[in-house]
Structures are given as structure tokens and as C-alpha cells.
Amino acid sequence: MLVEQNITIDSACEHHFLPIVGYAHVAYIPKEKVIGLSKINRLVDYYARRPQVQEGLVLQILNDLQQILETKDVIVSVIAKHLCVSSRGIKDQSSFTTTLEYGGCFSETAMRNEFLKIITQQKL
């Protein structure tokens, strides 16, 4: 399993045009194709630059990687703070949003849990 984690997300909510900031974590099981690590970061950045909802962001990243790598064995998680929540309405300063999309072998609980364990063990 290849895991690229803590990829900076700097996006905007498509409903309020306020910032969404956080991190993406992406993993895949290499098969016939592999890509350079920076390409994963570039893909995340490409989609994060558009105003959107967080659920759409993870799906776009997942679908593109599955197509590029020609495998369903991809998982994407985004953990972000939405300024539309913290600066307007409820003004909740401490909440954040986590989204997770996956396919292939990550549909198995054990593989998904292995990914989640890796991304929660912050190293470096």
C-alpha cells in the first residue's frame, strides 16, 4: 500500500465561498501502473482549487486515481475545517469535517482500518 498523507487542502465552500482548509490522505495498492508521488499532490490541489463541497472533492480525487491507475484499490480521506461553520451561523470554532471514499480492496474492513491506522500515526 502506498500512502501519501497530509496533503494541504485550500478550497472554498461552493455555498458560501468561504475557505475550507485541511488535509487529504490518499492511498492505493500498486498494480500494473504507478505514478509519481507529486502527481497525487497535484491532483488533490487541482480539485481543491475549485469552489465545492467536501464530499465532491474526495469523489473526484478517488475517481481520477482509479481511472489513471486502472485499479479500484484506492482510498481518499479529507479532514478539513469549514470557515462557513466557524465564522457564520453557529460559529463553532472547534468542529471539523471528515470524508472518506474508497473502492476495491479498501471495501474490506481490515484494509480500511490499516489505512486509518497509518494516517492517525503522525510521523516526521
Side-chain angles (χ1 to χ4, degrees), residues 45-57:
D45 183 64
Y46 173 77
Y47 283 118
R49 296 276 173 203
R50 309 171 180 189
Q52 62 190 302
V53 294
Q54 188 169 322
E55 303 92 305
L57 176 62

Side-chain angles (χ1 to χ4, degrees), residues 1 10 36 38 43 46 58 65 69 75 82 87 92 99 113 120:
M1 176 187 332
D10 188 5
S38 67
L43 182 68
Y46 173 77
V58 293
L65 282 174
L69 296 166
I75 188 167
H82 292 243
S87 65
D92 184 340
T99 50
N113 286 344
T120 56

Side-chain angles (χ1 to χ4, degrees), residues 72-109:
K72 294 290 181 190
D73 299 336
V74 178
I75 188 167
V76 179
S77 175
V78 170
I79 302 167
K81 186 159 189 62
H82 292 243
L83 270 67
C84 54
V85 173
S86 62
S87 65
R88 56 183 309 280
I90 190 74
K91 295 186 180 180
D92 184 340
Q93 299 295 314
S94 62
S95 69
F96 57 91
T97 303
T98 303
T99 50
L100 182 68
E101 288 290 339
Y102 50 86
C105 70
F106 291 103
S107 296
E108 299 171 18
T109 304

Side-chain angles (χ1 to χ4, degrees), residues 28-35 68-71 73:
Y28 72 93
I29 306 294
K31 299 260 195 244
E32 299 289 322
K33 288 187 168 184
V34 295
I35 58 174
I68 292 164
L69 296 166
E70 297 177 359
T71 181
D73 299 336

